[in-house]
């Protein structure tokens, strides 16, 4: 069993988190977006968003370390569209991380949102990402029927919203 540590991100983590995001996108979106779009995915595209989250008091950006190695991050906070809901903005981990590490990272976010007084948490998942959908369903999230289409270049990717209600 791996040793998992989740801690607040620091400015010096951003370059490494950006590289992890780059690798994650190239792996997870393969088959969902065109090769041209994947090939145009550059590390620098992700750094500003991570920096915004790090410096935004309404967002929590946490680093995930597995066995002492930075292996991903999670960002969460109040849903900007409806502030009575928590929102897990993004969970990004090395592809080699276990399902248990991913589950514990989501549960960490849920607990932190609960400590903020939020009793309902949302997360958006790529509709065809069966592994992620299964993971959040195992944790008690349920699709609430809300759908959107995310556009990346010329590619359209449908996403579904999942909700965890009245958790303890």
């Amino acid at each position: 069993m791996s040793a998992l540590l989740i801690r607040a991100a620091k400015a010096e983590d951003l370059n490494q988190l950006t590289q992890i995001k780059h690798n994650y996108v190239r792996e997870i979106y393969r088959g969902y977006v065109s090769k041209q779009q994947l090939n145009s995915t550059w590390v620098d595209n992700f750094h500003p968003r991570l920096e915004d989250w790090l410096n935004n008091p309404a967002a929590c950006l946490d680093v995930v370390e597995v066995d002492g190695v930075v292996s991903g991050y999670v960002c969460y906070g109040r849903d900007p569209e409806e502030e009575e809901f928590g929102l897990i903005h993004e969970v990004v981990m090395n592809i080699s991380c276990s399902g248990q590490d991913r589950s514990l990272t989501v549960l960490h976010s849920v607990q932190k949102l609960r400590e903020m007084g939020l009793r309902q948490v949302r997360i958006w998942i790529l509709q065809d990402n069966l592994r992620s959908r299964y993971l959040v369903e195992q944790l008690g999230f349920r699709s609430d029927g809300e759908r959107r289409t995310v556009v990346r270049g010329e590619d359209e990717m449908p996403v579904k919203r999942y909700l965890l209600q009245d958790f303890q």
Side-chain angles (χ1 to χ4, degrees):
M1 186 166 160
S2 57
L4 187 72
L5 172 70
I6 303 174
R7 61 171 174 80
K10 301 176 281 194
E12 52 268 22
D13 294 317
L14 291 183
N15 287 337
Q16 194 169 8
L17 298 181
T18 299
Q19 185 62 52
I20 290 168
K21 170 70 173 188
H22 173 75
N23 295 340
Y24 175 85
V25 165
R26 291 185 58 86
E27 183 66 32
I28 205 75
Y29 289 107
R30 184 176 296 141
Y32 299 109
V33 298
S34 67
K35 286 183 181 181
Q36 178 183 1
Q37 182 67 27
L38 279 177
N39 290 336
S40 69
T41 301
W42 298 103
V43 171
D44 294 340
N45 295 349
F46 305 118
H47 197 277
R49 185 172 192 185
L50 288 165
E51 191 169 39
D52 287 346
W53 281 337
L54 180 68
N55 296 318
N56 181 347
C60 298
L61 179 63
D62 290 346
V63 171
V64 179
E65 293 184 13
V66 179
D67 294 330
V69 176
V70 173
S71 299
Y73 66 87
V74 60
C75 183
Y76 55 91
R78 290 187 181 276
D79 188 330
E81 295 176 8
E82 296 181 76
E83 293 205 355
E84 68 272 16
F85 290 91
L87 178 67
I88 300 174
H89 296 280
E90 194 165 78
V91 179
V92 172
M93 297 179 72
N94 286 335
I95 203 73
S96 61
C97 289
S98 72
Q100 182 177 14
D101 291 339
R102 293 171 197 280
S103 294
L104 291 171
T105 300
V106 171
L107 290 173
H108 162 85
S109 304
V110 168
Q111 180 59 35
K112 291 295 187 177
L113 291 165
R114 183 177 189 270
E115 290 170 9
M116 294 168 60
L118 301 167
R119 294 290 181 258
Q120 298 186 78
V121 177
R122 294 172 169 166
I123 187 169
W124 289 90
I125 306 243
L126 188 63
Q127 186 171 304
D128 293 334
N129 188 337
L130 300 179
R131 185 187 318 179
S132 292
R133 288 175 47 196
Y134 177 78
L135 182 140
V136 298
E137 288 169 0
Q138 291 300 113
L139 297 175
F141 285 80
R142 297 293 174 253
S143 173
D144 65 2
E146 189 71 25
R147 289 171 163 58
R148 291 185 181 165
T149 300
V150 175
V151 178
R152 298 279 188 257
E154 296 179 11
D155 298 302
E156 295 183 357
M157 299 175 291
V159 293
K160 292 175 67 172
R161 188 172 68 191
Y162 284 78
L163 176 67
L164 180 64
Q165 296 186 54
D166 302 320
F167 55 90
Q168 298 300 318

